[in-house]
Amino acid sequence: MSEAEAKQIERMKSLLATQRDAFRHERHRPLDLRKRDLARIAALCRNNSDAICDAISRDFGNRAKQESVIGEIAFVIQDADHTAKHLSRWAKSRTVSTPMTLMPGKSTIRREPKGVVGIVSPWNYPFQLAMAPLVAALGAGCRAMIKPSELTPATADLMKRLIGEAFEEDHVCVISGGPAVGEAFSKLKFDHLFYTGSTQVGRLVAMAAAENLVPVTLELGGKSPAIVTPGYPQLSAAKSIGWGKFFNAGQTCVAPDYVMVPNGEERALGEAIIKIAEHQFPESSSDDAYTAIVSDRHYERLTGMIEEARAGGAEILQAKHDAQAAQAARKIPPTVVLNPPADSKLMTEEIFGPLLPVIGYSEIDAATNYVADREHPLALYVYSTDKEMASRILDQSQSGGVGINTNLLHLSVPDLPFGGIGASGQGSYHGEAGFLTFTHERAVFATGKWHPSRLLAPPYGKFYETVSKKQMS
């Protein structure tokens, strides 16, 4: 660990203590101030959209501005506005019924902020995946420390400046640094830790948080399948799946990771997807609308996947491109891989790039069994004109979320909880689900000065017998 990293770790420990002290003095931030906090986030996005897009593009080598606007900035604005609009209702205490045996008394659930929370954000959507959890935390009345990915330093530096201009450090702050700082961050004694990233690192984060019994939300990934059922219009499937897969060059946690189609239709669907991609990105190697791969290491990993599949006998379909220019720009053209080997990395690891395996199935049960035999994915996409068949596939599968005849868009619905299950994550956020993630539902039972329960104390008599019989009946 370098001296600079050691100083940064000491600084973030000091900031945590400062935020804890500030929270003690304001345990219940008034709703009007929370709404003001959310308005600051929305204004920060609106007033700095060009700078945010430019920073993200520098980090990627090229990120399509349109994708940054839609997938990052507008998303956060919508989330902040939606939270502010519904906050009063979400935060309201509510009375619940009290059993007759405990009357007279009143039972209430108070929704209170958990305290100081940590947010660890990834590189693939470096702005949105830091700010959307922050929106939920601020709506809940918490204070927050954010640790962005070191792979997107320009975005991290910009967020640090913008957050610093909008909030005092005892309320929200951004911590920069590499893996050593990130590891120390995940070991801090937060009141809640929110992590978005890979399943492998998620396990380490959960273990680190467990040392202090810090509750965690893990937004992970997994191989999200798309199942195209018999008779579904091929062109419609190709347009939808291709858009979801090649948005952000496939560097999206809920991008379709592989497609299952009826046996014999693999090539036709693959060719249709490539044809559409060539229309959308006439020259992917130089088109600013087509995003680059974030790092040399990730680029080499993806190209290695292609070559492994090719060596295993799979057929590779790629959009037209200038190979030399693509390599120089760190761009991989839209790629479809027909029936890659089952043990290849394309089929055993989350791809996180513009590579789309297409595999055949004999019948729907074979497709659902294939999905069920593997770790639960973050998303499942079903393309079917038969509602009963779509419902059957959902009944026979498990996933964090579902898209029917579409993909990606379920995470943009503010009132749908977004999160994984099993290896794809635990916990959820967006809308009220996000508010509740950073909220403690405190149980309160109140009685008058005297309560009949005191008659239940030893020596036990007839009142005890009456009450116990009533509760056991």
Side-chain angles (χ1 to χ4, degrees):
M1 182 188 303
S2 68
E3 183 179 349
E5 287 175 324
K7 288 182 178 179
Q8 183 70 310
I9 291 171
E10 289 305 311
R11 180 174 179 272
M12 70 184 184
K13 290 179 179 178
S14 176
L15 284 169
L16 175 60
T18 299
Q19 289 202 358
R20 282 196 171 283
D21 186 61
F23 180 74
R24 289 192 192 100
H25 287 84
E26 191 185 44
R27 289 186 182 275
H28 302 284
R29 189 165 177 80
L31 292 185
D32 61 330
L33 295 185
R34 298 190 204 181
K35 292 178 182 179
R36 188 185 69 182
D37 296 337
L38 296 169
R40 285 177 177 172
I41 295 294
L44 177 156
C45 294
R46 291 187 175 98
N47 297 336
N48 298 278
S49 60
D50 286 344
I52 294 166
C53 291
D54 290 345
I56 296 172
S57 190
R58 289 200 303 275
D59 283 328
F60 274 76
N62 175 65
R63 158 73 91 75
K65 183 175 182 178
Q66 297 88 340
E67 292 180 349
S68 292
V69 169
I70 296 172
E72 310 241 20
I73 301 168
F75 186 101
V76 175
I77 292 172
Q78 180 187 32
D79 201 22
D81 289 347
H82 180 81
T83 299
K85 180 179 179 180
H86 297 280
L87 187 58
S88 297
R89 177 171 59 85
W90 296 346
K92 189 177 295 183
S93 296
R94 59 191 180 98
T95 301
V96 296
S97 62
T98 301
M100 286 298 297
T101 52
L102 295 178
M103 295 295 285
K106 183 179 181 181
S107 303
T108 307
I109 298 174
R110 287 167 54 101
R111 289 184 164 179
E112 303 178 347
K114 285 186 175 179
V116 180
V117 303
I119 298 170
V120 181
S121 58
W123 56 262
N124 60 321
Y125 289 86
F127 186 77
Q128 184 239 112
L129 293 177
M131 302 300 281
L134 177 62
V135 164
L138 293 177
C142 294
R143 292 168 188 264
M145 297 173 61
I146 302 171
K147 171 60 181 72
S149 171
E150 65 274 12
L151 294 179
T152 48
T155 308
D157 288 346
L158 179 62
M159 279 198 300
K160 186 172 185 177
R161 178 174 69 80
L162 296 178
I163 289 292
E165 292 171 354
F167 298 93
E168 298 295 332
E169 281 193 326
D170 67 354
H171 195 180
V172 185
C173 65
V174 176
I175 303 295
S176 57
V181 174
E183 181 181 355
F185 187 90
S186 63
K187 292 181 179 179
L188 293 177
K189 195 171 183 178
F190 292 112
D191 296 299
H192 194 98
L193 182 60
F194 190 104
Y195 168 81
T196 305
S198 70
T199 301
Q200 180 183 4
V201 177
R203 290 191 179 95
L204 300 177
V205 169
M207 291 172 62
E211 293 181 15
N212 289 314
L213 296 179
V214 174
V216 296
T217 296
L218 300 176
E219 297 297 341
L220 308 177
K223 298 186 71 61
S224 298
I227 300 176
V228 182
T229 62
Y232 191 84
Q234 188 180 87
L235 185 60
S236 295
K239 286 180 177 179
S240 176
I241 294 169
W243 171 77
K245 183 60 178 181
F246 303 131
F247 189 92
N248 200 32
Q251 297 165 112
T252 305
C253 59
V254 289
D257 205 82
Y258 62 97
V259 183
M260 304 191 74
V261 298
N263 282 336
E265 297 183 14
E266 301 96 320
R267 171 179 288 279
L269 180 64
E271 290 178 346
I273 290 173
I274 292 299
K275 185 176 181 181
I276 290 168
E278 288 177 337
H279 173 72
Q280 294 174 339
F281 311 108
E283 181 46 73
S284 57
S285 57
S286 58
D287 192 337
D288 286 342
Y290 190 67
T291 297
I293 303 304
V294 72
S295 67
D296 291 338
R297 178 173 171 271
H298 192 40
Y299 179 88
E300 291 167 3
R301 172 180 170 272
L302 292 170
T303 54
M305 283 183 163
I306 295 174
E307 294 312 312
E308 181 195 36
R310 194 193 308 274
E315 185 174 359
I316 312 297
L317 307 178
Q318 285 190 319
K320 297 175 184 177
H321 65 287
D322 181 325
Q324 188 173 2
Q327 183 176 7
R330 208 167 57 228
K331 291 186 177 184
I332 294 177
T335 302
V336 170
V337 183
L338 302 180
N339 291 309
D343 60 352
S344 65
K345 291 181 179 179
L346 273 175
M347 297 308 299
T348 57
E349 296 181 5
E350 185 177 12
I351 297 171
F352 238 67
L355 318 180
L356 183 64
V358 178
I359 60 177
Y361 66 83
S362 57
E363 56 185 7
I364 284 295
D365 285 347
T368 56
N369 287 337
Y370 185 93
V371 175
D373 287 342
R374 286 152 180 78
E375 297 283 11
H376 302 321
L378 184 55
L380 168 67
Y381 303 120
V382 179
Y383 290 84
S384 179
T385 56
D386 184 336
K387 292 183 178 180
E388 289 186 7
M389 181 174 288
S391 180
R392 174 180 159 194
I393 293 172
L394 265 60
D395 289 343
Q396 295 177 354
S397 62
Q398 287 182 276
S399 65
V402 174
I404 297 179
N405 299 332
T406 186
N407 63 84
L408 268 62
L409 297 181
H410 64 288
L411 63 83
S412 298
V413 180
D415 285 325
L416 283 179
F418 176 75
I421 178 173
S424 59
Q426 60 186 45
S428 59
Y429 71 125
H430 293 176
E432 188 174 12
F435 173 86
L436 290 175
T437 288
F438 296 106
T439 295
H440 172 58
E441 293 197 299
R442 194 176 185 185
V444 179
F445 179 60
T447 70
K449 291 183 179 180
W450 185 86
H451 192 264
S453 59
R454 297 177 190 177
L455 297 176
L456 294 174
Y460 299 114
K462 290 185 177 180
F463 184 76
Y464 165 79
E465 292 177 4
T466 300
V467 173
S468 63
K469 285 180 181 178
K470 178 68 175 175
Q471 289 182 325
M472 297 290 286
S473 63

